[in-house]
Structure formats: C-alpha cells, structure tokens
Amino acid sequence: MNLANKLTLLRIILIPFFIVCFYIPNLMMNTVSVNSYLIPYANLLGLVIFLLAAITDFIDGYIARKYNLITDFGKFMDPLADKLLVTAALLILLENGLISAWVVFVILAREFIVTGFRTIAAAKGVVIAAGWLGKIKTVVQFIMISTLLLLNYPFELFNWPVDRVFVALAVVLTVASGVEYIYKNMNIFDGAK
C-alpha cells in the first residue's frame, strides 16, 4: 500500500477519535472527580483532529498526483473517507444544534446519489474519480464545518456571519457538483434494462 492510500486510511481511523471528543464533557460530568477546566478543551481537540484528518485529504491527493501513485483503491477510498468524515461532523453539528437538518439532508442525499452511481459503475468495472467541482465542494464543506465547530469565532466578535455564508456556499456547491456528477456519468446506465 502506497503512502497516499495510507493517509486515506489514517483519515478514516481518526474519525472515531473526532467523535469521542464531543462526548468527553458528558463523560467527565458523570465522574466523581471532574476536572471542569478540561471540558472546553475537548471540543477544541475534536476540531484539531477534524482539521488533521481534512489536511490528510489534501496531502494524499498531492502525493498521489505528484508521484503517480493513483490507484483504483485510492479513487474509491479517498472520496469514501471524505464522506465518512463529513457525515460524522455533520451529525455532531446537528446533535448540538449548530446546523439545520435540511442542510444535512441535502449534503447526505448528494453523497448517497454519488455513492449509488459509483456502485453501479464499479459493478461494470468502471472507477469514477472525483471531479474538480466535487473537490471544491469538499474544501468548502471542511471550512463550513470548522467555522461551525468554532461557533463562528473570531468572526462573531464583529457580527460577521461567516459560518452561515459557508453553509450557504456548501449547499450551493453540493447541489451543483451533484448535478454535474449525474450529468457526466449518466452513461453508466447505457444498456441497462
């Protein structure tokens, strides 16, 4: 397994650690000797893990392209790792009331549709790599999630709704990249009954 693929797997491995960080305060509150000064750092640690996982997405893609390490495994697992990371973050945000359910639905619906297309293509021996609009969508989603996890800090000090701007941008890019993906890959249904 090459380095790019190992970084993709690392991204998947980091997801449970990211999720657990948001339950640390509840776990600590239920213990007899709680160190209350540690609780705010649990969410910050979760954000750091999320950002580390997000950075691996850019690094593994760069390494794969630069050193010609592009594999079918990477084409399949890299987008899957992104979907798992984004889904975990969206569910954490939803559970904490930081994002609307309809936004989560739009983002996840697009991911299910794309996954369905990839599954059909894989059954025909075709691997569909992520397009550029989809990659931009992923970057914007990572930024959106980060601003929401930070509770729009430091922009909230100036009453700048940067988090809401990135939510809107993420929704638009999610829909646009989904439509583009469907349009470009409708040929996988050729010859289907």
Side-chain angles (χ1 to χ4, degrees):
M1 179 174 293
N2 64 45
L3 179 58
N5 291 341
K6 287 178 182 175
L7 287 171
T8 298
L9 287 178
L10 174 63
R11 187 154 68 258
I12 293 171
I13 291 167
L14 287 172
I15 294 170
F17 294 98
F18 164 72
I19 293 170
V20 165
C21 288
F22 295 93
Y23 293 98
I24 289 174
N26 292 335
L27 294 172
M28 292 178 72
M29 287 297 196
N30 293 329
T31 62
V32 177
S33 60
V34 62
N35 294 321
S36 60
Y37 69 91
L38 291 176
I39 293 172
Y41 296 103
N43 286 357
L44 184 58
L45 178 61
L47 176 63
V48 169
I49 292 172
F50 175 80
L51 291 174
L52 178 63
I55 289 168
T56 66
D57 182 37
F58 303 110
I59 295 172
D60 69 19
Y62 172 78
I63 289 171
R65 286 186 299 277
K66 181 169 182 173
Y67 298 104
N68 197 24
L69 299 175
I70 298 170
T71 63
D72 285 346
F73 176 85
K75 287 179 186 177
F76 174 75
M77 288 303 292
D78 183 65
L80 179 62
D82 294 342
K83 286 173 180 46
L84 291 172
L85 179 62
V86 168
T87 299
L90 290 173
L91 294 176
I92 291 292
L93 291 169
L94 183 62
E95 184 175 21
N96 288 285
L98 298 172
I99 196 168
S100 298
W102 74 267
V103 174
V104 174
F105 174 77
V106 167
I107 293 172
L108 295 183
R110 185 259 187 209
E111 300 310 330
F112 279 118
I113 291 166
V114 168
T115 300
F117 268 73
R118 283 207 168 112
T119 302
I120 293 167
K124 295 183 173 193
V126 176
V127 176
I128 304 173
W132 280 105
L133 191 56
K135 290 178 182 181
I136 293 168
K137 176 262 318 171
T138 300
V139 171
V140 170
Q141 285 179 355
F142 285 164
I143 295 170
M144 173 198 75
I145 289 164
S146 298
T147 59
L148 290 171
L149 289 174
L150 283 171
L151 305 176
N152 200 39
Y153 183 83
F155 308 109
E156 64 151 11
L157 301 173
F158 308 102
N159 286 331
W160 294 346
V162 172
D163 56 346
R164 298 296 140 200
V165 170
F166 275 102
V167 168
L169 190 55
V171 168
V172 168
L173 286 171
T174 296
V175 172
S177 65
V179 169
E180 178 194 47
Y181 192 91
I182 292 167
Y183 178 75
K184 285 186 174 180
N185 297 294
M186 282 301 291
N187 62 333
I188 66 168
F189 294 110
D190 289 349
K193 294 184 180 181

